[in-house]
Coordinates of all heavy atoms in Angstrom, one line a residue:
Chain B
V95 N -183.0 -186.6 52.1 CA -182.3 -187.8 51.6 C -183.4 -188.9 51.3 O -183.2 -189.6 50.3 CB -181.3 -188.3 52.6 CG1 -181.9 -188.7 53.9 CG2 -180.5 -189.4 52.0
K96 N -184.5 -188.9 52.0 CA -185.5 -189.9 51.8 C -186.2 -189.7 50.4 O -186.4 -190.6 49.6 CB -186.6 -189.9 52.9 CG -186.1 -190.5 54.2 CD -187.2 -190.5 55.2 CE -186.7 -190.8 56.6 NZ -187.6 -190.6 57.6
E97 N -186.5 -188.4 50.2 CA -187.1 -188.0 48.9 C -186.2 -188.3 47.7 O -186.6 -188.8 46.7 CB -187.6 -186.5 49.0 CG -188.8 -186.2 49.8 CD -188.4 -186.2 51.3 OE1 -187.2 -186.3 51.7 OE2 -189.4 -185.9 52.1
A98 N -184.9 -188.0 47.9 CA -184.0 -188.2 46.8 C -183.8 -189.7 46.5 O -183.8 -190.0 45.3 CB -182.6 -187.6 47.3
D99 N -183.8 -190.5 47.5 CA -183.7 -191.9 47.3 C -185.0 -192.5 46.7 O -185.0 -193.2 45.7 CB -183.4 -192.6 48.6 CG -183.1 -194.1 48.4 OD1 -182.1 -194.4 47.6 OD2 -183.7 -195.0 49.0
F100 N -186.1 -192.0 47.2 CA -187.4 -192.5 46.7 C -187.6 -192.3 45.2 O -188.0 -193.2 44.5 CB -188.6 -191.7 47.4 CG -189.9 -192.0 46.9 CD1 -190.6 -193.2 47.3 CD2 -190.6 -191.2 46.0 CE1 -191.9 -193.4 46.9 CE2 -191.8 -191.5 45.5 CZ -192.5 -192.6 45.9
V101 N -187.2 -191.1 44.7 CA -187.4 -190.8 43.2 C -186.4 -191.6 42.4 O -186.5 -191.5 41.1 CB -187.3 -189.3 42.9 CG1 -188.4 -188.6 43.7 CG2 -185.9 -188.7 43.2
G102 N -185.5 -192.4 43.0 CA -184.7 -193.3 42.3 C -185.2 -194.8 42.4 O -184.7 -195.7 41.7
L103 N -186.2 -195.0 43.3 CA -186.7 -196.3 43.5 C -187.9 -196.6 42.7 O -188.2 -197.8 42.4 CB -187.1 -196.4 45.0 CG -186.0 -196.6 46.0 CD1 -186.5 -196.5 47.4 CD2 -185.3 -197.9 45.8
V104 N -188.7 -195.6 42.2 CA -189.9 -195.8 41.5 C -189.8 -195.1 40.2 O -189.0 -194.2 40.0 CB -191.1 -195.3 42.3 CG1 -191.3 -196.1 43.6 CG2 -190.9 -193.8 42.7
S105 N -190.6 -195.5 39.2 CA -190.6 -194.9 37.9 C -191.7 -193.9 37.7 O -192.9 -194.2 38.2 CB -190.7 -196.0 36.8 OG -190.8 -195.3 35.5
G106 N -191.5 -192.8 37.0 CA -192.5 -191.8 36.7 C -193.5 -192.4 35.7 O -194.6 -191.8 35.5
K107 N -193.2 -193.6 35.2 CA -194.2 -194.2 34.3 C -195.5 -194.7 35.0 O -196.5 -194.8 34.4 CB -193.6 -195.4 33.6 CG -192.5 -195.0 32.6 CD -191.8 -196.3 32.0 CE -190.6 -195.9 31.1 NZ -189.9 -197.1 30.7
N108 N -195.3 -195.0 36.3 CA -196.5 -195.5 37.0 C -196.6 -194.8 38.4 O -197.2 -195.4 39.3 CB -196.4 -197.0 37.2 CG -195.0 -197.5 37.5 OD1 -194.4 -196.8 38.3 ND2 -194.6 -198.6 36.9
C109 N -196.0 -193.6 38.5 CA -196.1 -192.9 39.8 C -195.9 -191.4 39.6 O -195.0 -191.0 38.9 CB -195.0 -193.5 40.7 SG -194.7 -192.6 42.3
D110 N -196.7 -190.6 40.3 CA -196.5 -189.2 40.3 C -195.6 -188.9 41.4 O -196.0 -188.8 42.6 CB -197.9 -188.4 40.4 CG -197.7 -186.9 40.4 OD1 -196.6 -186.4 40.7 OD2 -198.7 -186.2 40.0
K111 N -194.3 -188.7 41.1 CA -193.3 -188.7 42.2 C -193.4 -187.4 43.0 O -193.1 -187.4 44.2 CB -191.9 -188.8 41.6 CG -191.7 -190.2 40.9 CD -190.2 -190.5 40.7 CE -190.0 -191.2 39.4 NZ -188.5 -191.4 39.2
F112 N -193.8 -186.3 42.4 CA -194.0 -185.1 43.2 C -195.1 -185.3 44.2 O -195.0 -184.9 45.4 CB -194.3 -183.9 42.2 CG -193.1 -183.2 41.7 CD1 -192.6 -183.4 40.4 CD2 -192.3 -182.3 42.5 CE1 -191.5 -182.8 39.9 CE2 -191.2 -181.6 42.0 CZ -190.8 -181.9 40.7
K113 N -196.2 -185.9 43.8 CA -197.3 -186.1 44.7 C -196.9 -187.0 45.8 O -197.2 -186.7 47.0 CB -198.4 -186.7 43.8 CG -199.8 -186.5 44.4 CD -200.9 -187.0 43.4 CE -202.2 -187.3 44.1 NZ -203.2 -187.9 43.2

Side-chain angles (χ1 to χ4, degrees):
Chain B
V95 65
K96 287 180 192 171
E97 287 78 2
D99 191 52
F100 175 84
V101 301
L103 286 170
V104 293
S105 171
K107 292 176 184 172
N108 43 41
C109 170
D110 182 335
K111 298 197 218 178
F112 274 101
K113 201 172 162 187

